[in-house]
Amino acid sequence: MDGSTIQGALQEYKRGLGHLAETLPSVVSGYNQFTEACFSEGELPKKTKHLIALSLGVYANDEYCIIYHTKGAVDQGASDHEVLEAAAVTSAFAGGLAMSQVVTLVQDALLEFRQHPVQ
């Protein structure tokens, strides 16, 4: 997936969430509060939480979560090696499906976020 597609996926998700918030504001607000609490600093640092979420995204084959949590991990200071290692662990559980995401989308997203950081 090229950089414009990765950036586009983030924008598409944000637009979709905005539209859903107009239609179901209490659902989106509740979801946002819940996820903010889940990803707040705690016994586990935010970086670790994004690495866990990235692994789960790879396991679920959820491309939006893979992109979003790769960015979250990078934003929290994760090295490329940490991101790839966390994502690769998933392959022990999900085999080829997970590995295909690690060798394509995860690496593409890392490259894109290193070359063109999104705020």
Side-chain angles (χ1 to χ4, degrees), residues 10-55:
L10 280 176
Q11 294 307 314
E12 181 181 344
Y13 178 81
K14 289 177 183 179
R15 277 191 304 275
L17 191 59
H19 177 69
L20 187 61
E22 292 171 7
T23 307
L24 300 169
S26 62
V27 171
V28 173
S29 175
Y31 176 77
N32 285 341
Q33 287 178 335
F34 175 73
T35 57
E36 285 173 19
C38 288
F39 285 92
S40 66
E41 200 73 28
E43 290 294 316
L44 293 175
K46 289 180 181 181
K47 177 177 85 172
T48 301
K49 292 178 179 187
H50 280 286
L51 292 170
I52 291 168
L54 167 61
S55 293

Side-chain angles (χ1 to χ4, degrees), residues 6-107:
I6 289 169
Q7 299 285 355
L10 280 176
Q11 294 307 314
E12 181 181 344
Y13 178 81
K14 289 177 183 179
R15 277 191 304 275
L17 191 59
H19 177 69
L20 187 61
E22 292 171 7
T23 307
L24 300 169
S26 62
V27 171
V28 173
S29 175
Y31 176 77
N32 285 341
Q33 287 178 335
F34 175 73
T35 57
E36 285 173 19
C38 288
F39 285 92
S40 66
E41 200 73 28
E43 290 294 316
L44 293 175
K46 289 180 181 181
K47 177 177 85 172
T48 301
K49 292 178 179 187
H50 280 286
L51 292 170
I52 291 168
L54 167 61
S55 293
L56 291 169
V58 170
Y59 184 79
N61 200 30
D62 183 334
E63 293 186 353
Y64 289 100
C65 282
I66 292 169
I67 292 168
Y68 185 85
H69 292 294
T70 297
K71 180 181 182 325
V74 167
D75 289 350
Q76 293 301 315
S79 69
D80 290 4
H81 189 91
E82 288 174 307
V83 170
L84 293 172
E85 189 173 333
V89 166
T90 310
S91 299
F93 294 94
L97 174 71
M99 186 58 81
S100 69
Q101 292 290 27
V102 175
V103 301
T104 57
L105 185 56
V106 174
Q107 291 188 83

